[in-house]
Amino acid sequence: MTEPVLRMEGVRKSFGDALVLDGVDLTVAPHEVVALIGASGSGKSTLLRCINLVERIDDGRIWLGDLDISDPRIAADRVRARIGVVFQQFNLFPHLRVIDNVTLASRAVLRIPRAQAEATALALLDRVGLADRARAYPDRLSGGQQQRVAIVRAIATNPELLLLDEITSALDPELVAEVLDLVRELKGDGTTIVMATHEMAFARDVADRVVFLDGGVIVEQGPAAQVFTRPQHERTRTFLSRFLGPA
Amino acid sequence: MPANLPISDVEIGRRAYRRTQNVRSVLVSLVSTIVFAVVIWLTVVNTPGWERVQRSFFDLETALAAWPRVIAGLWVNIQVLFFAVIGVLVLSVIIATIRTLRGPIWFPLRALAAAYTDLFRGLPLIIVLFLIGFGVPGLELFPRQSAQFWGTIALILTYSAYVSEVFRAGIEAVHPSQRLAARSLGLSHGQTMRIVVLPQAVRKVTPALMNDFVAMQKDVGLISVLGVVDAVRAAQIETAANFNFTPYVLAGLLFVLLALPMIRLTDWYTARLRAREQMGSIV
């Protein structure tokens, strides 16, 4: 068996007295696409934020490859550089052009010369059909275009793991498809992805594995087809029936 | 974290490591601060003229002798500051509101307000003090007022020009959608400003306002040029009587003490705002 890209063991996180993650175990294999589903407040986003080391976990361990990234001795910035993140609200830098948004990490963190970084960025932008907008500022772009730029920015440094945090929740319905199509393409490239999502149809379609979170624990996980068609737990059934209608 | 949960050995180790790291960085900063202070102190004390400077700037006896007069003067400063702050808040909100009025009928008012802020932000405070403190009474238009009164007016005029720009920046930083929502509810322009826009604007610019307040707190000392016996003037009198500059140092220290609570309050408030926007994340 190949070494997992990500491994979490007994991860616990609380805000004040509220226990948001209560002992989460999760392993993600190379090239695997994992969809986190669950109600608002079930801990999906917090889980992603813990992996990216923007929240400090209260207990448990997290490994990225063979590195224990929950160890306070590691350099957190170096770990974050190995992980790509796409946010619900895009979070593009409004004062930088599209091309500079995309090349920023390559230039500032990886110290790649500008010309080389821009060539890579342009090739990626071309692939998502946005090469002609490279010199535009983000506010001149539609929501769907902005989110595609954000995805390109996240993958421009070739991260080992891509985290998608409800990336279609802030988009108009007619713009969702163009973003999801891009994620589908990334899966085709073999990108390892952990995504929190409310798009059940998309999760069923693209995810290799679906993980249902409720009350800070993983209630159920398995191949998408299995979780969606034959959920084992009552809580999963209740949650899914609200989304998909009673089976 | 809820208290009753068992904690793993790994986590206990991590906490111990973070604790030692914290202790270490506190120690490092403590040592470097002490070393820095000692170096500065030794450098100053070993300058050739230190003894003379110490006698004429840091003489305890002179300080004690000057104390009653300087403290009485400081009380004048505090009074001026009190009225000036109220005046500045009122005038600057009015000016800022005028400057954000839309529509051609308001052009003359808007232009006047703009000219006012341009003029008084450009004029050095000391020149405004002379013009208002000596020029306006000379017109013999108003009943006789104290120099303290005219000094307060000059401070209000100068600082309102700055503070109104701060307010205006705040008003313009409130997202237009807020105005849209308020007007959609049927609120008038005035109501929209008063109930929806200004409260949000004030919150956005509070740190900047507090900073201007601290600046004004010490500029109050400039009214001494009009002959008002405030802390600075009192120190000047004492200095002239004894040929010793210690009263000035004393007055300076008192001004610092006066400003400290406000400076700390500003820092605390800014930190609180930042904490709220950061939502608990550690980056």
Side-chain angles (χ1 to χ4, degrees), chain A:
Chain A
M1 187 189 148
T2 50
E3 186 180 4
V5 174
L6 177 77
R7 194 151 61 87
M8 305 177 82
E9 214 178 81
V11 169
R12 207 180 262 157
K13 173 71 194 174
S14 56
F15 294 107
D17 274 343
L19 197 54
V20 182
L21 298 176
D22 187 9
V24 170
D25 301 310
L26 182 71
T27 304
V28 180
H31 313 304
E32 194 180 18
V33 175
V34 173
L36 304 173
I37 61 169
S40 301
S42 59
K44 304 187 295 290
S45 290
T46 305
L47 188 69
L48 296 182
R49 289 164 68 93
C50 288
I51 298 172
N52 198 35
L53 302 184
V54 291
E55 298 288 354
R56 179 184 295 165
I57 58 174
D58 294 324
D59 207 340
R61 296 177 88 175
I62 306 176
W63 288 268
L64 184 67
D66 56 3
L67 179 69
D68 178 356
I69 61 172
S70 49
D71 187 330
R73 273 161 282 249
I74 53 112
D77 285 343
R78 297 259 289 279
V79 172
R80 291 192 203 101
R82 292 166 57 188
I83 301 175
V85 184
V86 183
F87 307 91
Q88 184 174 340
Q89 301 291 346
F90 327 143
N91 298 10
L92 291 175
F93 305 119
H95 63 299
L96 298 179
R97 294 172 197 276
V98 164
I99 187 78
D100 296 324
N101 263 281
V102 174
T103 57
L104 180 61
S106 307
R107 290 183 287 120
V109 181
L110 303 183
R111 305 280 169 203
I112 295 172
R114 178 183 279 274
Q116 193 187 334
E118 288 195 351
T120 316
L122 277 174
L124 285 170
L125 285 170
D126 187 43
R127 236 189 102 184
V128 303
L130 289 171
D132 57 326
R133 310 312 308 273
R135 299 283 155 199
Y137 284 96
D139 61 356
R140 313 308 303 172
L141 272 54
S142 75
Q145 290 175 328
Q146 287 188 46
Q147 192 59 300
R148 283 186 283 151
V149 171
I151 294 173
V152 168
R153 178 176 71 175
I155 61 171
T157 50
N158 255 323
E160 294 155 49
L161 174 65
L162 187 60
L163 306 177
L164 310 179
D165 191 359
E166 298 191 16
I167 57 169
T168 57
S169 297
L171 291 177
D172 292 333
E174 75 268 24
L175 300 177
V176 169
E178 61 188 70
V179 170
L180 294 186
D181 284 344
L182 176 54
V183 177
R184 204 170 274 129
E185 260 190 63
L186 293 180
K187 176 188 162 75
D189 296 346
T191 313
T192 310
I193 300 175
V194 178
M195 57 182 183
T197 185
H198 285 302
E199 299 281 339
M200 294 304 152
F202 179 68
R204 175 157 52 186
D205 191 19
V206 171
D208 299 308
R209 184 151 49 101
V210 172
V211 173
F212 173 59
L213 274 169
D214 191 35
V217 293
I218 294 177
V219 175
E220 180 165 356
Q221 58 176 314
Q226 180 196 311
V227 173
F228 280 108
T229 52
R230 291 188 309 281
Q232 302 299 303
H233 283 263
E234 187 52 43
R235 276 145 84 187
T236 321
R237 276 196 285 274
T238 316
F239 173 76
L240 287 175
S241 70
R242 254 183 269 137
F243 266 94
L244 311 168

Side-chain angles (χ1 to χ4, degrees), chain A residues 12 14 16 54 58-60 70, chain B residues 1 6 8 11 14 17 281-282:
Chain A
R12 207 180 262 157
S14 56
V54 291
D58 294 324
D59 207 340
S70 49
Chain B
M1 178 123 172
S8 71
E11 178 62 21
R14 286 197 293 241
Y17 175 76
S281 103
I282 55 173

Side-chain angles (χ1 to χ4, degrees), chain A residues 72-73, chain B residues 12-28:
Chain A
R73 273 161 282 249
Chain B
I12 289 169
R14 286 197 293 241
R15 285 181 197 180
Y17 175 76
R18 285 193 189 109
R19 242 187 332 266
T20 51
Q21 285 302 100
N22 276 345
V23 171
R24 206 211 251 146
S25 38
V26 168
L27 283 179
V28 166

